[in-house]
């Protein structure tokens, strides 16, 4: 065994959690019992034949087996409020019967505060009918809805200048010019768009900024983050495959040998993604090649990536954001930040490139990261294709080696039931532990004709974190606990979270391909306490994107990164929610700002929102904003 294999094996052993140890012990105990049965039979026989002989056998004393901490799943009801929320968006995929691959993939959604009123708003990215479609034009613009903080939204699309028509896919939100409001980037099949926020009205500055990309690319997930810690938000745009209509129609894709089907990504060559450096004057420079994020096939030299999901994360804890890219049917990428404007791709070395049980690449879609446990364990969750388990790569703090703990934690097996697009970590019941949500939906309307276990419309999946001592750390929440609304089958794609009714817990929005979205109100009834944190950078980017926020709770340390880029094609709220469980007070909170500065803030109260401004040393005068 070489040194790399030895290190890899050692790190995998570090990551094994208590649940695995318990499981292994039970298996070992069963094996011991089976092996001992012949011996016991012999001893019984001997004692029957020689009752006067005294046994010299010594009783084997086994260690006490860890007792499973079987907690009851709390009521985590998700109520679909779309009918009464004012959200009347319907996604247009452009489907007209030719079955072109982009029709299956859209689209994303974003939770943002576009007008700075403190309430969470909703953006839905739309696609459009194809230019050659003879059915006529329809309203297929992207839509923006202003929230009132009480789970009601008003369509402000035209007023805000969001009524753009494009074959849209994903979105990124962030204050790229540090002027105090939120700007919007839209990825697309074709030219991408950058919309600058001018007092609540968006102006198309794509050409000025230089981020439109090539007209023959297919943009997917995207995100703003500061990769060089200069205080300005840069932009990463995933590109999927090298696609065009003629290449798609020239291939005879079919499920049943007769009718046409949507083609697999393996039928198309890969593409390079974009990394744009923010120059600080309203423009960006494409540094993709110079930065080292253009990865080629080792054998053919053609672009390798088929990028679907994006997760900026400081995976090695050095204060500089790295980049994880989820690729569809080719290996995933992990770009380690070299802190000099360049990146090294280390996905294979670190163990997230392939399915580690088979050595094969999977059909990866959405992605998210989290400080999953109190000991600093980093988790990378990736939603995968139908009949493939979603991944849950884990590495202990200070380690660079990941192992896929999806099966060990109980997360993996149920995810084979769905084709998972959107995926994110959040604390659904405010107990201080990260739960997981996945949005599911197939590509083919008639998939059940050839795969009896698959359906086109599929219910989402919510996994409750029962804790490390439980028999299963992540438990699929049944309909009896989450409600029948949540289990209604949909063709889920992008998904995001935000507190739409300002009661402290995080609500959920899921975009639906060719349909109306699901907007779930979180009606969990645990009475747990919470603390919401917003950041305002001064030396760093104004959004505080990339900052690590740490909350000390006795022997526990809860850590979260301010990062709206999550899931698939989507963006979550620019706020951090800490679940406190039954704790009734918090002493202080620490922010590690991008660039390395650490700052501690006192906390005067809980069950509300605090705003932490860099360099102030204390929460803003706004202080605690009551949520109940």
């Amino acid at each position: 065994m070489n040194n790399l294999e030895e290190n890899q094996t050692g790190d995998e052993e570090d990551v094994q959690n208590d649940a695995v140890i318990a499981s292994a012990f039970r298996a070992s105990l069963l094996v011991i019992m089976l092996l001992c049965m012949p011996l016991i039979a012999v001893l019984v026989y001997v004692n029957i034949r020689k009752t006067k002989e005294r046994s010299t056998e010594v009783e084997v004393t086994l260690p006490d087996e860890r007792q499973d901490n079987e907690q009851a799943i709390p009521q985590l009801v998700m109520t679909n409020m779309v009918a009464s929320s004012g959200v009347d968006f319907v996604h247009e995929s452009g489907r007209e019967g030719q079955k072109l691959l982009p029709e299956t993939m859209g689209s994303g959604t974003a939770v943002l505060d576009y007008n700075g009123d403190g309430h969470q708003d909703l953006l839905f990215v739309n696609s459009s009918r194809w230019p050659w479609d003879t059915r006529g034009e329809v309203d297929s613009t992207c839509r923006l809805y202003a929230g009132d903080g009480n789970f009601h939204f008003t369509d402000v699309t035209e007023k805000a200048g969001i009524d753009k028509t494009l074959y849209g896919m994903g979105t990124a939100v962030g204050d790229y010019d540090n002027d105090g409001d939120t700007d919007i980037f839209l990825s697309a099949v074709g030219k991408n768009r950058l919309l600058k926020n001018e007092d609540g009205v968006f102006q198309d500055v794509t050409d000025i900024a230089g981020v439109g990309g090539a007209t023959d690319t297919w943009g997917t997930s995207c995100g703003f983050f500061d990769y060089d810690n200069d205080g300005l938000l840069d932009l990463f745009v995933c590109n999927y495959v090298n696609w065009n209509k003629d290449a798609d129609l020239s291939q005879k894709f079919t499920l049943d040998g007769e009718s046409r089907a949507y083609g697999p990504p393996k039928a198309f060559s890969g593409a390079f993604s974009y990394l744009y450096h923010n120059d600080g004057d309203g423009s960006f420079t494409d540094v993709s090649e110079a930065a080292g994020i253009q990865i080629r096939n080792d054998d053919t030299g053609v672009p390798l990536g088929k990028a679907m999901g994006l997760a900026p994360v400081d995976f090695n804890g050095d204060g500089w954001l790295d980049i994880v890219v989820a690729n569809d049917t080719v290996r995933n990428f992990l770009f380690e930040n070299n802190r000099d404007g360049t990146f090294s791709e280390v996905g294979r070395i670190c163990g997230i490139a392939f399915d580690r049980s088979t050595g094969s690449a999977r059909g990866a879609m959405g992605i998210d990261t989290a400080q999953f446990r109190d000991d600093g364990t980093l988790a990378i969750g990736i939603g995968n294709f139908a009949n493939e388990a979603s991944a849950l790569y884990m590495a202990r703090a200070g380690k660079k080696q990941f192992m896929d703990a999806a099966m060990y934690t109980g997360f993996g097996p149920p995810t084979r039931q769905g084709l998972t697009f959107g995926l994110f970590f959040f604390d659904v019941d405010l107990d201080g532990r990260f739960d997981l949500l996945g949005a599911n939906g197939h590509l083919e309307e008639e998939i059940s004709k050839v795969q009896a276990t698959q359906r086109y419309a599929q219910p989402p999946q919510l996994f409750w974190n029962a804790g490390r001592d439980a028999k299963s750390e992540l438990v699929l929440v049944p309909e009896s606990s989450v409600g029948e609304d949540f289990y209604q089958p949909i063709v889920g794609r992008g998904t995001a979270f935000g507190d739409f009714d300002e009661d402290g817990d995080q609500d959920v929005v899921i975009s639906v391909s060719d349909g109306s979205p699901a907007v779930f109100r979180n009606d969990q009834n645990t009475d747990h306490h919470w603390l919401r944190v917003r950041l305002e950078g001064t030396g760093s980017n104004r959004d505080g994107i990339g900052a690590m926020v740490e909350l000390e709770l006795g022997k526990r340390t809860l850590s979260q990164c301010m990062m709206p880029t999550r899931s698939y094609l989507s963006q979550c709220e620019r706020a951090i929610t800490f679940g406190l469980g039954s704790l009734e007070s918090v002493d202080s909170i620490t922010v590690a700002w991008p660039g390395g500065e650490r700052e501690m803030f006192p906390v005067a109260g809980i069950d509300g929102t605090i705003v932490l401004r860099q360099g102030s040393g204390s929460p803003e005068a706004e202080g605690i904003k009551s949520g109940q």
Side-chain angles (χ1 to χ4, degrees):
M1 179 181 294
N2 59 37
N3 291 335
L4 176 59
E5 291 173 330
E6 291 176 354
N7 292 335
Q8 198 167 14
T9 301
D11 287 332
E12 290 183 358
E13 292 174 351
D14 286 342
V15 181
Q16 298 295 335
N17 54 43
D18 291 347
V20 181
I21 296 172
S23 177
F25 175 77
R26 288 191 294 270
S28 299
L29 181 60
L30 180 60
V31 171
I32 291 172
M33 292 177 64
L34 291 174
L35 292 175
C36 289
M37 286 181 68
L39 177 60
I40 294 172
V42 170
L43 290 173
V44 170
Y45 176 76
V46 170
N47 275 281
I48 292 174
R49 295 285 305 264
K50 300 181 180 180
T51 56
K52 294 182 180 181
E53 291 185 12
R54 184 174 180 178
S55 174
T56 58
E57 292 291 326
V58 177
E59 182 178 355
V60 177
T61 302
L62 298 177
D64 293 334
E65 182 176 352
R66 179 183 296 276
Q67 296 299 311
D68 293 333
N69 180 16
E70 295 297 350
Q71 303 180 55
I73 300 175
Q75 286 297 300
L76 306 173
V77 175
M78 291 283 182
T79 305
N80 193 350
M81 302 292 291
V82 69
S84 60
S85 68
V87 174
D88 57 358
F89 173 76
V90 178
H91 177 250
E92 169 64 55
S93 70
R95 298 184 184 209
E96 58 168 344
Q98 296 188 82
K99 293 210 167 185
L100 303 175
L101 187 56
E103 298 166 359
T104 68
M105 297 298 185
S107 62
T109 183
V111 179
L112 71 163
D113 181 7
Y114 92 96
N115 54 7
D117 65 355
H119 305 313
Q120 300 300 324
D121 310 312
L122 279 173
L123 171 69
F124 294 96
V125 181
N126 209 352
S127 303
S128 63
R129 290 186 175 178
W130 297 110
W132 53 85
D133 194 330
T134 60
R135 294 176 296 171
E137 295 184 0
V138 294
D139 180 10
S140 59
T141 61
C142 300
R143 300 281 285 276
L144 177 65
Y145 295 86
D148 65 357
N150 196 30
F151 228 104
H152 190 271
F153 299 87
T154 301
D155 191 335
V156 294
T157 303
E158 186 174 353
K159 174 184 175 182
I162 296 293
D163 49 343
K164 311 297 180 184
T165 299
L166 70 169
Y167 203 97
M169 283 283 153
T171 182
V173 297
D175 185 3
Y176 80 89
D177 52 1
N178 283 335
D179 66 351
D181 49 28
T182 300
D183 310 300
I184 295 173
F185 179 84
L186 301 172
S187 67
V189 177
K191 184 178 180 180
N192 303 317
R193 308 287 178 86
L194 177 62
L195 308 179
K196 187 179 186 298
N197 191 336
E198 297 282 7
D199 297 323
V201 179
F202 291 88
Q203 306 294 329
D204 190 334
V205 296
T206 306
D207 294 337
I208 297 172
V211 292
T215 57
D216 60 351
T217 55
W218 177 351
T220 55
S221 293
C222 44
F224 288 107
F225 69 106
D226 185 3
Y227 76 85
D228 56 355
N229 286 339
D230 66 353
L232 299 170
L233 291 177
D234 310 300
L235 176 65
F236 193 100
V237 184
C238 293
N239 285 322
Y240 187 34
V241 295
N242 183 11
W243 178 89
N244 61 68
K245 174 189 176 184
D246 292 339
D248 200 330
L249 292 178
S250 68
Q251 304 181 70
K252 306 303 181 183
F253 306 119
T254 181
L255 287 176
D256 56 11
E258 298 180 2
S259 57
R260 178 171 170 80
Y262 288 107
K266 289 184 178 180
F268 304 90
S269 59
F272 289 139
S273 295
Y274 296 133
L275 177 61
Y276 294 104
H277 177 265
N278 189 335
D279 297 330
D281 59 359
S283 66
F284 292 76
T285 299
D286 185 348
V287 296
S288 307
E289 183 175 3
I293 63 105
Q294 293 185 342
I295 306 300
R296 297 180 180 274
N297 185 295
D298 294 335
D299 298 322
T300 64
V302 301
L304 177 63
K306 298 180 181 182
M308 296 287 272
L310 170 67
V313 60
D314 180 8
F315 92 99
N316 55 11
D318 64 356
W320 296 69
L321 286 173
D322 312 293
I323 307 166
V324 188
V325 175
N327 284 310
D328 190 2
T329 69
V330 297
R331 62 183 173 88
N332 300 317
F333 297 152
L334 172 53
F335 294 106
E336 184 172 18
N337 196 326
N338 296 324
R339 299 181 288 181
D340 60 1
T342 67
F343 294 83
S344 297
E345 204 287 295
V346 296
R348 287 176 291 190
I349 297 173
C350 294
I352 72 162
F354 302 104
D355 177 355
R356 297 192 65 172
S357 64
T358 65
S360 301
R362 289 183 278 194
M365 311 292 179
I367 183 172
D368 194 15
T369 68
Q371 301 294 319
F372 190 67
R373 295 179 181 144
D374 301 344
D375 61 3
T377 294
L378 175 66
I380 301 175
I382 301 178
N384 290 318
F385 201 74
N387 303 314
E388 295 177 339
S390 291
L392 188 61
Y393 296 108
M394 287 191 184
R396 294 287 294 273
K399 304 290 185 179
K400 290 187 177 182
Q401 285 295 320
F402 289 83
M403 67 163 296
D404 190 351
M407 296 301 178
Y408 302 135
T409 58
F411 173 62
T415 61
R416 293 183 183 275
Q417 302 170 13
L419 196 168
T420 303
F421 277 89
L423 175 146
F424 58 69
F425 296 93
F426 74 138
D427 187 357
V428 65
D429 58 340
L430 303 174
D431 65 353
R433 296 191 294 260
F434 276 113
D435 311 295
L436 262 168
L437 185 145
N440 304 321
H442 212 280
L443 309 182
E444 289 285 353
E445 297 96 326
E446 299 181 343
I447 187 63
S448 61
K449 292 183 177 180
V450 293
Q451 293 188 35
T453 60
Q454 288 294 323
R455 297 292 184 271
Y456 178 52
Q458 302 173 354
Q461 291 177 313
L462 175 62
F463 291 85
W464 178 64
N465 190 332
R468 297 183 66 179
D469 294 332
K471 180 178 180 180
S472 181
E473 190 169 5
L474 288 168
V475 182
L476 180 63
V477 180
E479 183 176 338
S480 59
S481 295
V482 78
E484 62 180 10
D485 281 4
F486 192 76
Y487 265 81
Q488 295 302 309
I490 58 176
V491 187
R493 293 296 184 259
T495 185
F497 61 76
D499 186 2
F500 304 139
D501 50 5
E502 298 174 11
D503 64 351
D505 54 30
Q506 293 161 316
D507 310 298
V508 174
V509 56
I510 301 178
S511 66
V512 173
S513 178
D514 245 11
S516 300
V519 186
F520 293 108
R521 186 182 64 202
N522 186 343
D523 289 329
Q524 60 87 22
N525 62 357
T526 60
D527 293 326
H528 285 158
H529 296 291
W530 49 275
L531 180 68
R532 283 171 60 81
V533 179
R534 290 176 46 222
L535 301 181
E536 187 175 318
T538 53
S540 64
N541 67 86
R542 189 177 177 90
D543 290 334
I545 289 177
M548 185 64 70
V549 184
E550 300 173 354
L551 188 65
E552 296 288 343
L553 300 178
K555 295 182 179 180
R556 303 178 64 195
T557 299
L558 306 184
S559 301
Q560 294 192 46
C561 182
M562 180 65 75
M563 182 55 64
T565 300
R566 300 175 182 273
S567 186
Y568 171 71
L569 307 178
S570 299
Q571 303 276 293
C572 295
E573 63 179 350
R574 200 177 69 247
I576 288 176
T577 296
F578 286 105
L580 305 179
S582 60
L583 292 180
E584 297 182 349
S585 65
V586 174
D587 293 331
S588 64
I589 194 165
T590 300
V591 180
W593 297 97
E597 177 190 354
R598 293 180 64 85
E599 189 172 8
M600 181 179 290
F601 297 84
V603 179
I606 60 172
D607 295 336
T609 301
I610 56 175
V611 181
L612 307 180
R613 172 176 286 182
Q614 187 176 9
S616 68
S618 63
E620 284 294 283
E622 178 184 349
I624 293 291
K625 178 181 177 183
S626 177
Q628 295 283 4

